[in-house]
Amino acid sequence: MLREMEISRAIIEAYTEELLESLSLDVAIVGAGPSGMVAGYYLAKNGAKVAIFEKKLSIGGGIWGGAMGFNRIVVQEEAKEILDEFGITYKPFKNGLYVADAIETATTIASQAVKAGVRFFNMIEVEDLALKDDRVAGVVINWTPILMTGLHVDPLTVEAKFVIDSTGHGAQISQHLVKRGLIEVPGEGPMWAEKGEELTVKHTREIFPGLYVTGMAANAISGAPRMGPIFGGMFLSGRKAAFEILEKLGRG
C-alpha cells in the first residue's frame, strides 16, 4: 500500500542523513555556478569531502540563458579539455573558440559533480562565515525562504577546512569579511572579455586564510573586468582552486 507518510519519511530521512554527514567538511562551496560546480567535481573526484550550498532553487548560475537568452555558450581552446573530461558536446567556431549548448553544459557538470561525490544543498543561503583564530572555519546557513521573508530565526553552522566563494559578480561571501574591515572588494570592472578571462584564473586564490574565490567573485575581489558569455575562465578557475586546496589538504 502506498502511504503518503512513508513518502515523507523517505525524503526526510535521506535528506537529514546527508545534511548531518555534511556538518563537517573539507570544503564548503557557496554558489552552484560553473566555477563552483567544477571546483566541487575535482575536489570530490580526488577524495575531498565537499558540499555546495546554493541559495536558489536551481543550480547552474548564469549558464542557463547563455547570452541574452540565446542558450549557447563559448569556450576557448585553453578550457576545451575540461569540456572533454565532462563529455560535453561542442562545435568549433573559429580562432580557437568553441560553442556548447548551455543546457547540456549545466546539466552535465551538475550530474558529473554529484556522481563524483559532491553534495548539493539548494535553497540554503550562507548568511555569514565562521571565523576562528583569524581563519575562516566554516559557513553559517539558513533556509533561503526564511531570509527572504525576514523572519528572525537563528541559523546553523557547518565546519569546513576551506570555503570557496563562487557566488559570482557580488562576491557575496567575501562581503562578510568586508563589513568587518578584514578585506576590501573593489567590485568588477566593465566588459573586456579577453582580460576578464585571463584575470579570473589569475585572481583565483586564497584571499583570507581558509577562504578562496573563483569565477566572477575572483574578478570582483580584484577589480578585474567581466567577460560575458564565454565560460572557459570559469571552468579553469574552479579547477585551479580545487587543485590548490587538494594540495593543502595533502591530496594533491
Side-chain angles (χ1 to χ4, degrees):
M1 184 174 76
L2 182 64
R3 298 178 62 192
E4 291 80 3
M5 179 274 292
E6 291 299 333
I7 297 170
S8 299
R9 182 184 295 277
I11 290 171
I12 293 169
E13 287 187 1
Y15 186 91
T16 303
E17 180 182 354
E18 285 214 346
L19 183 59
L20 286 171
E21 290 176 356
S22 299
L23 291 178
S24 181
L25 298 167
D26 289 323
V27 187
I29 300 173
V30 189
S35 68
M37 292 197 296
V38 168
Y41 166 81
Y42 283 105
L43 285 162
K45 181 182 176 183
N46 287 279
K49 187 179 181 184
V50 54
I52 299 179
F53 298 93
E54 168 57 57
K55 70 178 183 179
K56 295 182 179 179
L57 177 61
S58 63
I59 52 84
I63 293 181
W64 297 102
M68 213 178 78
F70 302 156
N71 57 2
R72 297 296 183 271
I73 63 166
V74 173
V75 173
Q76 64 273 49
E77 184 71 39
E78 295 86 348
K80 182 167 70 73
E81 65 184 16
I82 295 180
L83 294 180
D84 289 331
E85 175 157 356
F86 280 98
I88 295 169
T89 308
Y90 55 83
K91 294 180 179 179
F93 181 59
K94 58 183 178 181
N95 298 326
L97 298 178
Y98 300 85
V99 179
D101 184 287
I103 309 305
E104 180 188 358
T105 302
T107 54
T108 302
I109 293 176
S111 175
Q112 292 294 333
V114 171
K115 291 179 186 298
V118 178
R119 289 183 173 133
F120 282 80
F121 295 98
N122 57 331
M123 293 183 65
I124 291 184
E125 186 167 351
V126 172
E127 67 169 55
D128 205 351
L129 290 167
L131 267 71
K132 296 181 180 180
D133 300 321
D134 297 318
R135 179 182 176 85
V136 171
V139 293
V140 181
I141 61 171
N142 216 329
W143 294 118
T144 300
I146 288 176
L147 297 175
M148 288 178 66
T149 52
L151 296 175
H152 183 73
V153 179
D154 276 328
L156 296 171
T157 302
V158 174
E159 293 181 350
K161 296 172 185 173
F162 290 93
V163 173
I164 301 178
D165 182 350
S166 298
T167 57
H169 301 266
Q172 295 167 5
I173 302 311
S174 303
Q175 297 289 350
H176 296 303
L177 300 183
V178 172
K179 68 183 181 183
R180 294 178 171 94
L182 296 173
I183 62 170
E184 293 183 0
V185 177
E188 68 184 39
M191 182 78 79
W192 186 357
E194 183 177 14
K195 273 295 178 186
E197 283 293 276
E198 173 191 338
L199 293 176
T200 195
V201 181
K202 178 180 178 181
H203 293 313
T204 296
R205 67 193 192 279
E206 189 175 24
I207 60 165
F208 190 84
L211 178 64
Y212 271 78
V213 287
T214 66
M216 274 312 306
N219 277 5
I221 285 290
S222 307
R226 61 188 300 187
M227 73 289 291
I230 181 165
F231 282 80
M234 300 290 108
F235 303 153
L236 293 168
S237 171
R239 187 176 68 176
K240 177 184 176 183
F243 286 167
E244 286 192 11
I245 291 172
L246 286 167
E247 190 73 29
K248 293 181 179 181
L249 291 171
R251 295 190 177 93

